[in-house]
Structure formats: C-alpha cells, structure tokens
Amino acid sequence: MTGTSVVDLIAAVCLLSGAVLSLAAGLGLLRFPDLLARMHSATKPQVLGLLLILVGTALRLGTVVDITTLALVGAFQLAVAPVAAHMVGRAAYRTGLFRRDLLVTDDLAAARKTGDESGD
Amino acid sequence: MNRPTNIRRRIRDELVALSGLVVVWMLLWGTFSWMVFLSGLVVSVVVLVVFPLPPVTFLGKLRPLGLVRFAVRFTVDLVIASLHLAWTAFRLGYQPRCAVIAVQLAVRSDLNLTLCGEAVSLIPGSLIVDIDRDAGVLYIHVFDVSDEAAAEQFRGKVYALEARIIGAIGSDDELRQVAERGESR
C-alpha cells in the first residue's frame, strides 16, 4: 500500500466514525427522556464526532491554510460547547423543566432548600 | 500583596490575552506575514479595550509532565464517554437514569473552577447544572447512573480530574490543597 492510500484510509475511518457519532448524538437528542439528558447528547458524541471529521478533512486537504482553520474550529468547539450546555441546563433546572423522578440523587435541590445558594 | 506587583500582574494578564488573540487571528489567515501580524495586533488591542474582561490571574506554573498526563487522560475519557453515550442512544427501550451531585473542589480560584467545569462538561457523562462560585462547588448532572453508589464513584472521578488539572497548571500551594483533601477522604 502506498503512503497516500494509507492516509486516505485513515481519513475515511475518521470521517465515517465521526459521522456515526454525530448520528448517535442526533438519535440521543430524539430518544432521551428529558432536557438535561438530551444536553449530554449535544455535548459529547457530537464533540468527538466533529473532531474526527475535522481530522479526516485535514488529512484529505493537507494544506496549512485549511488545517489552521480546522484547528480553530476544533478549539472553539471544545471551549464553547460546555458553556452552551451549561446555560441551557441551568435554565432548565431553575425553571423545573426536567424529570425529577429520573434522578437517583439531587444535591442541588437540598442546597437550594437550605438557602445555601446565594442566587447570584 | 502590594500595588506594584498587582499592576505588573495585570499587565502580564493583558499581554497573555493579547498574544492569544494575535495567534487566533494568524491561524484564521493561515499564512504568516508582517501585515497579518500587525493588523492582528491592532484588532486585538481594540478588542481588549472595547470588551474588557474581568481579570483571571494565573498564579500557578505550567508542568509539562502534568500537561501530557492530563491531555492523554482527557482524550481517553472523551472517547470512552462518547462511545458510552452513543451506545446508550442506540439501545432502544433502555431508560437511562441520572443524578445531580455536588462536588466540592479543593481549589476555589476562578480559573480552576472554569477549567474543571469545562473538562467535566466535555468528558465523562456529565453536565454542569449550577456553580456556587464562593464555595467552589460544582453541581453536576451525571448521565446513566444506576444508584447512589455509582454517583459517589463519579464524585471520585471529578476529584481525580481536578487533581490532574492542578497537577498540570497549579502552583505548589494549590497542589498542597489537593493533597490535603486526598488525605482527609
């Protein structure tokens, strides 16, 4: 096997597994029971899925200009996805838009009841 | 802490932010030329002046070995967590249960709180629901935990994650705080 076809093979594996993970994220969004569980689907397989697709694309393109842009896309995704998930999750928790019956324990409810939380 | 060191630290923080922005600018262009560098410098200064951020001071030091250890574990955790969640999504008819747990961090600095929060959100089946900044407590929504013992186990994982972050970028003092918690548990 020549060098280019090995690179192509790795790129193909990255692109395909990235696509499968993104599909799983979409499926999880549809299937999981409440908003908080669905946010997990948005922050995890999708992040790795995107990173794999970026790596696959970088291997196929192979020019410096494109790779720097792809690296930035990856870096910003890692920095920003948790923030977005947190904002949505926090709003959902505070407005009670989640299923309490699915929780095994809830330390935050206890903390809020005793007034520990300063409500910022 | 006297004023001159405060100002010097402030200037150092601004310089770090400035060089970060210039690097992003140059990555966006993808090529290096002095024109790109200078225009990036101008844009970064304008951004920092127009949108000033609250100071986040970095008091620790970078530890290469700790950084490598953190990066490797982070990648491994990211892959495992992603596969776990993907598997759960494909398992039709399975109803995952969750938990909200409070985790008291050993180091209360804003930077540590942010980095732990980011890493926890990105890695292992977890989402930050709320943060008590003064007390240094993260309230984490954990995905697919069967019972309280599993939730407790997850708390241990977050402690280990914080220890790795502090091991990568923390000061000696912060390392001591983490070690003290390890002993008291």
Side-chain angles (χ1 to χ4, degrees):
Chain A
M1 221 193 268
T2 61
T4 16
S5 64
V6 173
V7 172
D8 274 355
L9 186 70
I10 298 173
V13 170
C14 285
L15 286 171
L16 280 175
S17 45
V20 170
L21 282 174
S22 302
L23 174 70
L27 195 62
L29 270 182
L30 283 174
R31 216 180 69 72
F32 291 155
D34 67 347
L35 191 147
L36 288 175
R38 285 176 183 173
M39 288 317 294
H40 289 290
S41 207
T43 42
K44 280 190 309 152
Q46 182 263 125
V47 166
L48 184 63
L50 179 78
L51 289 180
L52 283 171
I53 287 178
L54 291 177
V55 170
T57 316
L59 287 175
R60 283 291 288 141
L61 293 173
T63 55
V64 180
V65 184
D66 298 319
I67 291 176
T68 52
T69 313
L70 294 174
L72 273 184
V73 172
F76 279 119
Q77 172 78 10
L78 286 179
V80 165
V83 180
H86 165 64
M87 291 317 288
V88 176
R90 184 168 183 261
Y93 190 94
R94 295 201 165 202
T95 48
L97 288 175
F98 67 105
R99 283 180 55 187
R100 207 173 283 277
D101 58 304
L102 290 173
L103 293 181
V104 179
T105 54
D106 191 349
D107 291 348
L108 182 54
R112 285 167 71 91
K113 208 167 282 169
T114 52
D116 271 353
E117 235 212 3
S118 48
D120 9 315
Chain B
M1 205 186 294
N2 49 3
R3 278 199 71 74
T5 47
N6 243 344
I7 290 170
R8 199 175 303 154
R9 188 171 291 160
R10 189 69 219 250
I11 290 172
R12 199 192 66 170
D13 291 345
E14 297 288 339
L15 280 180
V16 170
L18 188 70
S19 33
L21 284 173
V22 171
V23 167
V24 168
W25 177 266
M26 295 207 293
L27 284 176
L28 278 173
W29 281 95
T31 48
F32 179 84
S33 73
W34 287 104
M35 202 52 216
V36 171
F37 178 76
L38 286 178
S39 56
L41 207 59
V42 171
V43 171
S44 306
V45 168
V46 170
V47 166
L48 284 177
V49 169
V50 177
F51 307 104
L53 287 171
V56 178
T57 300
F58 175 62
L59 293 174
K61 51 186 171 193
L62 293 176
R63 300 162 195 272
L65 201 67
L67 274 174
V68 171
R69 194 176 300 145
F70 171 74
V72 170
R73 270 305 293 265
F74 180 82
T75 315
V76 171
D77 284 346
L78 186 65
V79 171
I80 293 175
S82 302
L83 292 180
H84 172 89
L85 207 77
W87 168 239
T88 317
F90 281 117
R91 256 170 96 185
L92 296 176
Y94 171 71
Q95 182 82 290
R97 301 197 62 186
C98 305
V100 175
I101 58 170
V103 179
Q104 171 75 57
L105 297 180
V107 180
R108 288 179 192 181
S109 71
D110 281 352
L111 184 65
N112 182 52
L113 212 60
T114 310
L115 288 179
C116 283
E118 287 261 346
V120 163
S121 303
L122 280 172
I123 326 170
S126 46
L127 172 80
I128 309 290
V129 178
D130 219 323
I131 296 171
D132 190 336
R133 183 178 164 198
D134 297 326
V137 176
L138 295 177
Y139 292 97
I140 304 175
H141 184 263
V142 193
F143 184 77
D144 198 15
V145 281
S146 46
D147 49 22
E148 291 201 22
E152 206 53 45
Q153 203 184 348
F154 186 83
R155 196 190 306 267
K157 277 193 197 164
V158 179
Y159 286 150
L161 176 71
E162 190 201 5
R164 280 197 297 277
I165 289 179
I166 293 300
I169 59 153
S171 61
D172 294 335
D173 196 37
E174 289 170 340
L175 272 178
R176 202 157 38 244
Q177 290 174 27
V178 172
E180 275 166 16
R181 183 195 51 206
E183 282 162 20
S184 66
R185 272 199 307 137

